[in-house]
Amino acid sequence: MNLDFTAILPSLPYILKGIGVTLKIVIVAGLLGFAFGIVLAIFKISKSKALNWFADAYTSIFRGTPLILQLMIIYYGLPQLIGFEIASYTAAVASFSLNSAAYISEIIRAGILAVDKGQKEAAMALGVPGERMMRDIILPQAMKNILPALMNEFITLTKESAIVTVIAVDDIMRRSYIVGGDQYRFFEPLIFAGLIYYLLVISLTMIGKVVERRLRQSD
Amino acid sequence: MIKVDNLHKSFGKLEVLKGISTTIESGEVVAIIGPSGSGKSTFLRCLNLLEQPTSGQVLIGEYDITDKKTNIMKVRENVGMVFQHFHLFPHMTVLQNITYAPIKVKGLSKTEAEKHGMELLKKVGLSEKANEYPNRLSGGQKQRVAIARALAMDPEVMLFDEPTSALDPEMVKEVLEVMKSLAHTGMTMAIVTHEMGFAREVADRVLFLDGGVLVEDAPPAEFFSSPKSSRAKEFLEKML
């Protein structure tokens, strides 16, 4: 059996540098997707038919087509329309945040609807205006309920981010692939990349548990 | 003063309130009683527009709340409401529940609001629970906090929607005591209740609703001893 992990040892620092690249994409896209997801969720429960329609159509399209297609349309397709190149990092963050906003909006919408109707009435009876009620009363309670689903979405995002390899972003995935090509041995660097992703996901899961515990303080 | 004129409310095809007219004077304590489904909760909820009346007029002080131009948020600041199921904010401590609206809606400083909040907590006998979360409280304690929360806005009118119906029997009394002392301070109160003893003792007037109609409007002594309508007689026979 041809297996030699020591052969890729000199390339480990190179692969490890990809962690920063991956994290930068995941964190920025995650935060943007979360913010946009809240906006979409509020559109979905708003009384305006036009906003409902927009948010539903948006979600339908972004959930109904492959993420890698969305990424390639933004990176390869869009410059043709707008007349200038888009940096690969920007394209990656844009497509991931637009895509995860669609999923996150569904999670948040369900979370908002699950908050007891009496909470809204109590806030209304105190004269709390709608926007403030949403921010201070409804969303904090919705967040507590949806945290596990939200964490799941961020975990998916972390793993799916590996597809930025196709637009030549030098993330963990692409770096280990390059090392494989360089040394004519793919198994070892790919296994190493897998280990890194797995550890990232485990850390995310642990962070999620800590946050959840803090949110459950009031129980 | 609350003045209700020919108030109608329908949910789809179902007409719940069929033209109710009455006046509640400042400082008056009015008990609203009647069989379930009679529209008494809906009537109460129309008084701060948690339900939008289908037609008719409701005046709270000088505000016509059924007029679209009235800023209902301003009116609600003056009308406190206590719910059957408390609806405390579970993610806030007891004191935060009480100070939230005074700070965010009325613009009080945190110090002022907390000072006032602690006074109210003392009044309802829960000073030592200020920093607990609502989940740690019993039903009766939750309802007393809910009353303090509504009072923190210094309302001119307090609405109570079956405030003791969700409580274990041994906790009913502590909530009624708080309401009784509130009534003695001259607060204008409209109370939907099944507590006939309380209505008889504390209320200045009893409104008896049945089938969305205000069937009787009388002082409790008169209502409980000699109800005029047969429907009220039947109801009282079942209740007492």
Side-chain angles (χ1 to χ4, degrees):
Chain A
M1 194 166 67
N2 178 8
L3 194 63
D4 180 10
F5 278 95
T6 57
I8 62 158
L9 271 180
S11 309
L12 288 192
Y14 174 72
I15 296 178
L16 284 172
K17 264 191 205 146
I19 295 178
V21 179
T22 293
L23 282 181
K24 223 167 97 187
I25 293 171
V26 170
I27 291 171
V28 176
L31 290 176
L32 288 176
F34 183 58
F36 189 34
I38 292 180
V39 174
L40 282 175
I42 289 172
F43 280 10
K44 282 176 185 175
I45 58 169
S46 97
K47 289 199 184 80
S48 154
K49 286 269 174 292
L51 292 182
N52 295 161
W53 180 87
F54 170 79
D56 285 343
Y58 179 95
T59 306
S60 170
I61 290 167
F62 276 87
R63 288 205 302 188
T65 55
L67 175 56
I68 192 165
L69 174 95
Q70 294 160 20
L71 177 68
M72 288 173 95
I73 285 179
I74 289 176
Y75 185 65
Y76 295 114
L78 215 49
Q80 186 185 326
L81 303 184
I82 57 176
F84 57 86
E85 296 277 307
I86 299 175
S88 52
Y89 170 75
T90 314
V93 166
S95 60
F96 286 150
S97 46
L98 292 174
N99 181 274
S100 64
Y103 287 91
I104 289 174
S105 72
E106 272 303 287
I107 297 171
I108 294 176
R109 185 190 66 94
I112 290 173
L113 293 181
V115 174
D116 179 19
K117 198 167 116 278
Q119 292 292 309
K120 186 181 165 192
E121 293 191 342
M124 276 166 74
L126 287 165
V128 182
E131 190 195 324
R132 201 165 249 302
M133 175 198 307
M134 192 44 103
R135 200 174 54 206
D136 295 344
I137 311 285
I138 309 294
L139 279 179
Q141 294 184 59
M143 284 310 149
K144 196 162 89 175
N145 298 332
I146 65 179
L147 197 76
L150 216 49
M151 254 3 246
N152 229 350
E153 177 56 27
F154 289 136
I155 287 170
T156 306
L157 186 62
T158 307
K159 293 184 295 176
E160 293 284 292
S161 74
I163 66 165
V164 295
T165 298
V166 301
I167 60 166
V169 174
D170 50 357
D171 69 329
I172 303 166
M173 184 68 213
R174 182 166 176 84
R175 282 166 189 257
S176 53
Y177 180 68
I178 287 172
V179 169
D182 218 30
Q183 312 224 351
Y184 300 108
R185 35 174 76 248
F186 283 95
F187 191 83
E188 294 90 339
L190 289 178
I191 285 292
F192 185 62
L195 180 71
I196 297 175
Y197 279 111
Y198 184 66
L199 289 177
L200 285 180
V201 169
I202 295 292
S203 328
L204 262 180
T205 311
M206 285 196 309
I207 292 171
K209 287 216 171 103
V210 171
V211 177
E212 203 177 332
R213 208 175 307 141
R214 284 200 49 186
L215 284 178
R216 297 215 176 274
Q217 199 180 13
S218 60
D219 288 352
Chain B
M1 190 192 70
I2 304 173
K3 196 167 168 11
V4 182
D5 189 29
N6 200 20
L7 179 66
H8 286 260
K9 172 67 187 175
S10 302
F11 294 103
K13 282 200 180 109
L14 180 71
E15 193 177 26
V16 181
L17 298 178
K18 299 170 182 163
I20 293 196
S21 303
T22 189
T23 303
I24 301 173
E25 300 293 341
S26 294
E28 208 177 7
V29 177
V30 172
I32 302 159
I33 64 177
S36 53
S38 59
K40 51 194 191 308
S41 279
T42 306
F43 171 70
L44 194 76
R45 290 160 59 84
C46 282
L47 300 184
N48 65 351
L49 291 204
L50 282 187
E51 300 294 352
Q52 189 70 44
T54 311
S55 69
Q57 196 184 40
V58 179
L59 299 176
I60 305 275
E62 72 268 35
Y63 293 100
D64 177 358
I65 65 168
T66 36
D67 183 348
K68 287 272 179 295
K69 283 180 297 231
T70 305
N71 182 356
I72 184 61
M73 288 312 195
K74 277 277 160 232
V75 178
R76 283 188 183 133
E77 287 178 33
N78 275 319
V79 181
M81 186 160 197
V82 174
F83 299 87
Q84 181 178 1
H85 295 287
F86 333 123
H87 301 326
L88 294 179
F89 305 131
H91 58 302
M92 299 182 188
T93 64
V94 164
L95 189 59
Q96 285 167 342
N97 262 279
I98 295 173
T99 56
Y100 172 74
I103 294 172
K104 299 294 162 112
V105 180
K106 269 200 157 172
L108 250 62
S109 76
K110 192 164 177 257
T111 342
E112 276 175 286
E114 284 185 347
K115 186 166 163 273
H116 187 37
M118 287 308 295
E119 283 163 16
L120 287 167
L121 272 179
K122 199 173 161 206
K123 259 188 205 159
V124 300
L126 289 170
S127 304
E128 75 285 7
K129 301 286 184 190
N131 296 314
E132 296 275 12
Y133 283 97
N135 280 354
R136 303 283 302 273
L137 305 182
S138 72
Q141 290 171 334
K142 280 182 195 167
Q143 195 60 299
R144 285 188 278 154
V145 172
I147 293 172
R149 178 176 70 176
L151 288 175
M153 293 296 279
D154 288 323
E156 284 157 25
V157 178
M158 285 282 282
L159 308 176
F160 294 84
D161 189 3
E162 303 197 24
T164 58
S165 298
L167 299 177
D168 292 336
E170 74 267 27
M171 289 166 186
V172 169
K173 200 171 159 240
E174 64 188 56
V175 172
L176 292 182
E177 287 300 326
V178 167
M179 290 170 63
K180 205 191 288 179
S181 63
L182 187 60
H184 291 320
T185 66
M187 175 66 77
T188 311
M189 295 163 76
I191 308 163
V192 171
T193 185
H194 293 292
E195 297 290 333
M196 295 303 142
F198 177 77
R200 176 182 272 181
E201 186 190 337
V202 179
D204 300 309
R205 245 166 72 214
V206 173
L207 305 184
F208 177 72
L209 266 68
D210 188 36
V213 179
L214 180 55
V215 181
E216 298 210 23
D217 179 346
E222 191 182 319
F223 175 78
F224 286 106
S225 55
S226 51
K228 290 189 196 75
S229 63
S230 57
R231 281 186 287 184
K233 271 178 208 148
E234 271 170 50
F235 176 75
L236 286 174
E237 268 162 29
K238 273 181 217 152
M239 292 299 289
L240 299 170

